[in-house]
Amino acid sequence: MRPLSPAGTPAPCCRYGATKVLVEAAAAAAHWAHGQSIICLRLGAVLPEPPSAEALAGWLGPADLQQLVTRSVEAEEVGFAVYYGISANTRSYFDISNVTREIGYRPILDAEMYADRVPSGVSYGLCPSVSQLAPRHRH
């Protein structure tokens, strides 16, 4: 699987994701129209521990969340940027190279330390699972 890049074309899976894309577009317009420096954060599963095996790729632990928000607030003029907020997860498929390069975010936590004790098959997000998004064949 190719890493998900914040530079890619957004393809929201649900209304929640669509509203996030709309806010990012409005933020980009504000930047281009008024020169405001704006950072949009796409936060992963923000919980003390990953709630399920499905969250191991996109978990964002508390210490990493604190670092990400602090670096975003203290960042010098960045223009407009979209960053994934994800911990340094072994199973991650999110590209965080731009946030590490541009504002120095260096996640220290890895959801893998919880892998042996989280349940599998448990939905944790607002969006449907990938299996629910698969095209259905009609007879």
Side-chain angles (χ1 to χ4, degrees):
M1 172 183 279
R2 277 189 8 221
L4 289 177
S5 169
T9 302
C13 64
C14 60
R15 289 178 288 202
Y16 172 76
T19 60
K20 304 265 301 167
V21 170
L22 178 63
V23 169
E24 288 176 5
H31 164 70
W32 294 115
H34 307 291
Q36 296 171 315
S37 183
I38 300 174
I39 294 175
C40 295
L41 300 175
R42 293 179 181 172
L43 303 179
V46 180
L47 295 161
E49 297 183 7
S52 68
E54 290 72 22
L56 293 173
W59 178 68
L60 176 60
D64 290 336
L65 172 62
Q66 180 179 4
Q67 180 199 162
L68 178 61
V69 170
T70 299
R71 290 196 179 271
S72 295
V73 169
E74 294 176 350
E76 295 297 320
E77 194 70 25
V78 296
F80 174 75
V82 176
Y83 301 135
Y84 280 117
I86 304 296
S87 288
N89 303 323
T90 299
R91 301 179 194 206
S92 180
Y93 46 83
F94 298 92
D95 179 359
I96 63 169
S97 61
N98 69 329
V99 68
T100 59
R101 180 180 62 253
E102 295 170 17
I103 65 170
Y105 171 60
R106 304 275 187 275
I108 57 172
L109 301 172
D110 186 344
E112 204 62 28
M113 65 183 152
Y114 301 102
D116 62 343
R117 61 183 203 229
V118 294
S120 185
V122 177
S123 176
Y124 70 92
L126 297 172
C127 292
S129 70
V130 173
S131 63
Q132 291 173 310
L133 296 174
R136 302 204 190 284
H137 298 287
R138 298 188 190 263
H139 299 285

